Amino acid sequence: MFGDTQQTLWKTEQSVLGRPIFGAQYPPLSSKISDKSILTKPVMSKKKDQDKFNAYAINTDDAWEIDDRTMTLKIFDKNDNDGDDDDDIGISKQKPEEIASKSTQQQKSNKVTNGNDHESGRMGLRISQMKHLFLVRRSNLSTNLSSTSYPGLGRRISDQSNSKTSTSTRYNNNNAASSFSTTNSTKSNSISMVDNNQQKENKFKQIFDQTTVDLNELRKASWNGIPKQYRAQAWKLLCGYLPPKIERREDTLVRKRDEYWSYVSQYYHTRADSEHQDTFRQIHIDIPRMTPLMPIFQQVVVQELFERILFIWAIRHPASGYVQGINDLVTPFFVVFLSEFIENDIEMESFDISSLLESDRRIIEADSYWATSYLLEGIQDNYTFAQPGIQYKIRTLEELIKRIDEPLYRHLKNQNIEFLQFSFRWMNNLLMRELPVRCTIRLWDTYLAEQDGFSHFHLYICAAFLIRFSKDLLREKDFQGLLLLLQNLPTHSWTSNDISILTAEAYQLKVMFADAPRHLSHS
């Protein structure tokens, strides 16, 4: 007799009406299953079978976690006193929430009349737990079904991290357990994050403990972000400014820093000459506009430091000279190399750089110059006459968006939005104006680790960046609203996790299109 009950109990091919099911648009795999069998076949018709089941359920904890749909049918059938087929049919047609609410009320009533019945109290708690589990699973399933994905990129990674579970708070029996579970989950995530950070720090420690740094290993480790205490040294190595062999580093640094200051002595006094005064005037105008929300960049000492770096670079690279936007590219290097001399980033924004020793300021300035020179050498065609590098990247970005998100592409074209109107700044400033400085620094970890990161991988970053706001852009129905949003995308609250997602999506695009250039032909 119990064998028949067990066979019915663990059968999971049937469905409770009202519950969302993956693939529900397709017919059942088994031809033996039909709606008629679900509605007309009683789950349990004999009181004796029901009592055995109750005893079994009380003594078996994990049975309640197996399948909430089956538990709903079995437990709530206990309240059917008459046991006729019509009541069974009525229960199966009700929504799960209605079933749980009705059963809970009946269990409370039974508990009042049978206060000394331990089994009844146990069943009431089980029902409450079961309903909580059922509603949470149903909410999670609905959330997953309603999540959106962008064309060509699959389901968004951020949907998983940003989704919130809906839970019922009407049953006091569940509140403590739910709160405890949430707290444990938060603690678990925090512990996992700490463990990951510790593993990353240990990895970099192993790399830098070697007498000769393996640059390939350093690039692999840096792609997903560099710990703060290793970032300055890692950037210098990835730029080629610092040699991999530890015994050569001190001599190299002294030589390169002296070389920069010899350029300053040789050229900086010519900034007022007629052939250079236009260049210096433009630099002098652009510097105060740089990162205006950070007080440190409004300090005179810092602005003079940037003026020297940019003027010396322009004099030594006459093919391009100084172009507006280059001033932004010095900022990340300056911030990272400055961090070697201060305790934490909290003090960075308002740190008084004049409080540093002059020798330390000279080191920061020289290192920033050589790192910026490395960057600009790879993208110099962005700043030569007519800026052909930027024009090519904008055309390629437009073709890329057309391939991977055609609805967005058509929407922009229908509203007469040209890619040049918003993406020129993305290419000219490497998204410096679109992202907070902390996010730019994290992004440059990947650029420096990626081969041709600033010149090639940046294109796919821009594509992934635009697609990130596809839904918001599609809601804008006029030219003015679209252009305003494109020029002021909401990234002020972004963190390094957002940049990690962005780089992962960009890498997907690179894998799909970088080795298939015909897909991006401008025909």
Side-chain angles (χ1 to χ4, degrees), residues 131-143:
K131 182 181 186 299
H132 173 76
L133 176 64
F134 185 85
L135 292 178
V136 168
R137 290 185 178 179
R138 188 165 187 253
S139 173
N140 288 339
L141 191 56
S142 298
T143 301

Side-chain angles (χ1 to χ4, degrees), residues 64 69 151 157 163 383 419 421 466 514:
W64 297 90
R69 194 260 322 151
I157 302 174
S163 62
Y383 306 107
F419 277 69
Q421 294 170 322
L466 182 59

Side-chain angles (χ1 to χ4, degrees), residues 19-27 137 140-147 155:
R19 179 179 178 179
I21 303 172
F22 285 107
Q25 66 269 32
Y26 301 107
R137 290 185 178 179
N140 288 339
L141 191 56
S142 298
T143 301
N144 291 337
L145 287 173
S146 61
S147 62
R155 188 171 184 269

Side-chain angles (χ1 to χ4, degrees), residues 387-450:
Q387 299 181 276
I390 290 181
Q391 292 190 38
Y392 171 77
K393 290 182 178 70
I394 291 175
R395 291 195 304 269
T396 306
L397 175 64
E398 183 173 356
E399 187 67 24
L400 191 58
I401 297 300
K402 182 179 179 180
R403 296 285 183 177
I404 63 181
D405 195 343
E406 187 174 1
L408 175 60
Y409 173 81
R410 291 184 178 275
H411 182 62
L412 295 175
K413 288 300 182 181
N414 290 339
Q415 298 300 327
N416 298 315
I417 297 290
E418 297 294 335
F419 277 69
L420 182 67
Q421 294 170 322
F422 64 89
S423 62
F424 177 85
R425 189 171 72 181
W426 296 9
M427 304 299 178
N428 191 59
N429 301 79
L430 298 179
L431 291 176
M432 279 288 300
R433 299 291 179 90
E434 276 60 46
L435 297 172
V437 174
R438 64 182 182 276
C439 293
T440 300
I441 291 173
R442 165 60 190 89
L443 179 61
W444 283 23
D445 288 344
T446 302
Y447 280 170
L448 289 166
E450 182 77 21

Side-chain angles (χ1 to χ4, degrees), residues 15 160 227 264 305 410 474:
S15 302
Q160 297 178 355
V264 173
L305 180 152
R410 291 184 178 275
L474 289 172

Side-chain angles (χ1 to χ4, degrees), residues 430-498:
L430 298 179
L431 291 176
M432 279 288 300
R433 299 291 179 90
E434 276 60 46
L435 297 172
V437 174
R438 64 182 182 276
C439 293
T440 300
I441 291 173
R442 165 60 190 89
L443 179 61
W444 283 23
D445 288 344
T446 302
Y447 280 170
L448 289 166
E450 182 77 21
Q451 185 178 6
D452 299 325
F454 293 101
S455 60
H456 185 64
F457 190 62
H458 178 70
L459 170 65
Y460 299 100
I461 288 287
C462 290
F465 184 68
L466 182 59
I467 292 172
R468 171 67 65 90
F469 300 98
S470 179
K471 293 173 63 177
D472 298 322
L473 293 168
L474 289 172
R475 283 195 291 265
E476 296 293 336
K477 302 302 181 182
D478 59 82
F479 175 87
Q480 181 178 356
L482 268 172
L483 196 58
L484 187 63
L485 178 58
L486 284 166
Q487 294 178 345
N488 299 275
L489 293 170
T491 60
H492 59 279
S493 61
W494 274 31
T495 65
S496 59
N497 291 334
D498 295 285

